[in-house]
C-alpha cells in the first residue's frame, strides 16, 4: 500500500509576541491550509516559551536572529512595531525567508521602495498584511463595481476609529511610527485604491496632532481619482467605529464591518439601487462566515508553494505608502499634494 503523502506546507515563524499575533493571526494561521506555525521568537526567551506553550507552537527562540537562523522555518510573519518593519523584513529575506509583514509595511514610501530591491535580490516573497484584501466582502464589492452594479463609480466614503490614549501603546509612540494615518488611515487609502482600481492624482489631508504624543489622533482625507473622490476620517481618540460607503450613479453599497470583519458570524453588505431614503429598496447581501487572517495566510502560502503571483504584490504596498506620504505632506502644507512628487 502506498504511504499517504503529507500535503505541502509552508513552515512559518513569528517575530515577537505581539497582541495581534497571539490573539488573532497565529490561531488563524494554525487553521489555514498549506500552513504550519513552527516557531515563535521574542526578545525575552521566557515570553517566547510561554507563548509557544499557550499556542501549541513547537519551537521558541529567545531572539529574532535565532528564529531567522532556524533552518526549519520557510517564512516569517512580522507583527513588530512599524519602525521595525523594513529592517526585519530585509533581514528575514536575506536569511532566505519569505515575509508577511504587518501594515503599514514601512514608515514612508522611500523605505518601502528599498524592499523592492531586497525582494529582487533575494527572490523571497514579501507581502504587506492587508488581510482585508482577501475578505469576500471586499472581493464582492470590487466585482459589483467592476460589473457596473452601482452604475458609474463616483465616490467612496470611509470611517475607521477607536479610542486609545495609552501612552505606552505602540500606536501613540511617534518614534515607532504611531498615529491614526499610519495605523488605520492606511486601510482607508488601501481600500479606496482597490475599489477605484487606480492611484489618486492628488490628495488633501488634515490632521490634529496630540500634543502629548506628537502623533496624529484625527486625520481626514480627500483622494482625487481624476474627478472621482474618496473621502475618509480616521481617529484614535474617538469611539470605536468603522463603515464604508461606495456610491455610483445608480447605486450605493455599504460595508458594515469593513476592516475588523468578524470571524464568528457572517458579514453583511447593504445594496441600495432605488435611492429611496426610507430604505424600501435595500437588499442585504449576507456572506459566509470566514476568517480573513486564515485566508491571507492560505493565499500567500499557496503562492509560495506554487510559485504563483500574489494578489497584492509589493508594488501595491509601495503605492499605498506614496499616497500616505502625500496625505501627511498635505496636512503639513495645507495644500493639495500630488501623490507622486517629482524625484
Ligand atoms: N492586521 C491587523 O489586523 C492588525 C491589527 C493590529 C495591529 N497590527 C499591526 O501589528 C503590529 C503590532 O501591533 P500590536 O498592537 O500587536 O503591537 P504589540 O502588542 O505592542 O506588539 C509588538 C511586539 O513587537 C515586539 N517589539 C520589538 N521591539 C519592540 C519595541 N521597541 N517596543 C515594543 N515592542 C517591541 C514585542 O515582542 P517581544 O517583546 O516578544 O519581542 C511586542 O510584543 C503593528 O505594525 C500594527 O500596525 C495589525
Amino acid at each position: 500500500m502506498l504511504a499517504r503523502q503529507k500535503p505541502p506546507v509552508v513552515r512559518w515563524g513569528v517575530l515577537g509576541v505581539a497582541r495581534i499575533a497571539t490573539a488573532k493571526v497565529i490561531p488563524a494561521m494554525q487553521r489555514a491550509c498549506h500552513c504550519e506555525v513552527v516557531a515563535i521568537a521574542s526578545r525575552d526567551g521566557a515570553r517566547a516559551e510561554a507563548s509557544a506553550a499557550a499556542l501549541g507552537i513547537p519551537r521558541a527562540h529567545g531572539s529574532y536572529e535565532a528564529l531567522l537562523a532556524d533552518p526549519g522555518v520557510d517564512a516569517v510573519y512580522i507583527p513588530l512595531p512599524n519602525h521595525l518593519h523594513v529592517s526585519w523584513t530585509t533581514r528575514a529575506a536575506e536569511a532566505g525567508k519569505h515575509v508577511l509583514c504587518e501594515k503599514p509595511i514601512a514608515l514612508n514610501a522611500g523605505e518601502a521602495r528599498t524592499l523592492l530591491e531586497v525582494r529582487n535580490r533575494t527572490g523571497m516573497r514579501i507581502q504587506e498584511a492587508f488581510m482585508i484584501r482577501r475578505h469576500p466582502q471586499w472581493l464582492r464589492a470590487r466585482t459589483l463595481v467592476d460589473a457596473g452594479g452601482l452604475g458609474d463609480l463616483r465616490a467612496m466614503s470611509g470611517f475607521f476609529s477607536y479610542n486609545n490614549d495609552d501612552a505606552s501603546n505602540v500606536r501613540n509612540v511617534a518614534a515607532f511610527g504611531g498615529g491614526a494615518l499610519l495605523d488605520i488611515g492606511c486601510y482607508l487609502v488601501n481600500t479606496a485604491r482597490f475599489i477605484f482600481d487606480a492611484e489618486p492624482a492628488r490628495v488633501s489631508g488634515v490632521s490634529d496632532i496630540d500634543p502629548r504624543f506628537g502623533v496624529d489622533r484625527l486625520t481626514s482625507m480627500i483622494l482625487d481619482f481624476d474627478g472621482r473622490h474618496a473621502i475618509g476620517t480616521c481617529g484614535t481618540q474617538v469611539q470605536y467605529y468603522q463603515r464604508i460607503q461606495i456610491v455610483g450613479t445608480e447605486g450605493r453599497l455599504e460595508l458594515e464591518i469593513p476592516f475588523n470583519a468578524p470571524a464568528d458570524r457572517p458579514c453583511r453588505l447593504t445594496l441600495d439601487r432605488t435611492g429611496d431614503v426610507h430604505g424600501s429598496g435595500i437588499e442585504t447581501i449576507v456572506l459566509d462566515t470566514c476568517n480573513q487572517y486564515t485566508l491571507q495566510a492560505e493565499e500567500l502560502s499557496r503562492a509560495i508553494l506554487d510559485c504563483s503571483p500574489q494578489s497584492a504584490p509589493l508594488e501595491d504596498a509601495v503605492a499605498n505608502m506614496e499616497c500616505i506620504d502625500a496625505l501627511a505632506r498635505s496636512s503639513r502644507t495645507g495644500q493639495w499634494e500630488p501623490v507622486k512628487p517629482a524625484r
Side-chain angles (χ1 to χ4, degrees):
M1 202 168 76
L2 284 175
R4 190 182 284 180
Q5 275 201 330
K6 233 181 132 196
V9 294
V10 174
R11 297 166 302 173
W12 286 88
V14 179
L15 295 190
V17 178
R19 265 182 294 260
I20 182 63
T22 55
K24 299 251 172 82
V25 179
I26 294 172
M29 289 175 103
Q30 289 172 319
R31 285 194 292 275
C33 301
H34 312 298
C35 223
E36 223 176 276
V37 182
V38 297
I40 186 162
S42 172
R43 295 167 299 169
D44 173 337
R47 193 158 54 236
E49 295 280 356
S51 174
L55 290 160
I57 299 172
R59 294 193 294 285
H61 292 290
S63 72
Y64 304 157
E65 289 85 352
L67 188 142
L68 294 187
D70 183 337
V73 168
D74 307 312
V76 295
Y77 165 56
I78 301 185
L80 297 173
N82 300 341
H83 69 303
L84 299 175
H85 288 176
V86 167
S87 56
W88 282 103
T89 294
T90 302
R91 291 175 75 163
E94 287 175 345
K97 316 294 185 194
H98 302 284
V99 177
L100 175 65
C101 179
E102 267 307 338
K103 41 54 61 178
I105 199 156
L107 298 183
N108 54 56
E111 255 200 359
R113 247 178 267 118
T114 67
L115 293 175
L116 295 171
E117 183 279 323
V118 172
R119 177 200 62 188
N120 296 344
R121 171 164 48 85
T122 62
M124 294 295 112
R125 298 302 179 105
I126 298 177
Q127 182 161 313
E128 188 175 33
F130 272 116
M131 71 295 175
I132 50 165
R133 290 280 281 262
R134 296 317 314 146
H135 195 288
Q137 66 175 345
W138 280 106
L139 301 178
R140 178 71 77 92
R142 172 71 187 266
T143 305
L144 193 87
V145 165
D146 287 354
L150 304 179
D152 294 333
L153 175 64
R154 291 281 198 261
M156 186 164 160
S157 81
F159 201 94
F160 195 4
S161 62
Y162 56 78
N163 196 341
N164 180 340
D165 70 349
D166 170 5
S168 67
N169 190 285
V170 292
R171 289 157 189 77
N172 290 323
V173 181
F176 289 6
L181 178 58
L182 279 175
D183 189 45
I184 47 179
C186 62
Y187 287 100
L188 299 174
V189 171
N190 186 291
T191 51
R193 295 176 43 255
F194 178 60
I195 290 298
F196 282 99
D197 192 22
E199 302 302 332
R202 59 177 188 157
V203 300
S204 175
V206 58
S207 294
D208 178 49
I209 308 295
D210 186 307
R212 294 165 298 170
F213 309 140
V215 301
D216 63 308
R217 59 186 167 190
L218 190 67
T219 288
S220 295
M221 58 184 82
I222 308 175
L223 278 51
D224 182 5
F225 293 88
D226 286 327
R228 303 176 303 162
H229 299 167
I231 61 168
T233 294
C234 53
T236 59
Q237 291 177 36
V238 282
Q239 165 141 328
Y240 178 51
Y241 182 63
Q242 50 191 272
R243 200 70 102 223
I244 287 280
Q245 301 279 350
I246 303 169
V247 188
T249 50
E250 288 158 37
R252 168 183 77 84
L253 185 72
E254 177 173 319
L255 280 72
E256 193 180 47
I257 313 180
F259 308 116
N260 299 123
D264 61 351
R265 70 197 74 176
C267 277
R268 285 191 304 237
L269 306 183
T270 300
L271 177 60
D272 182 359
R273 292 195 246 228
T274 63
D276 170 12
V277 285
H278 303 293
S280 64
I282 281 177
E283 296 167 47
T284 302
I285 302 169
V286 180
L287 296 159
D288 290 343
T289 301
C290 69
N291 184 320
Q292 56 189 344
Y293 300 104
T294 299
L295 295 172
Q296 167 179 259
E298 279 177 357
E299 195 224 20
L300 183 54
S301 298
R302 208 172 300 120
I304 291 168
L305 292 168
D306 300 348
C307 300
S308 56
Q310 300 148 231
S311 59
L314 189 52
E315 283 76 2
D316 187 77
V318 175
N320 213 56
M321 290 305 314
E322 299 272 13
C323 193
I324 289 170
D325 279 5
L327 282 165
R329 269 199 314 279
S330 170
S331 70
R332 288 192 300 270
T333 62
Q335 311 281 332
W336 283 95
E337 291 286 338
V339 171
K340 293 208 180 212
R343 283 197 273 278

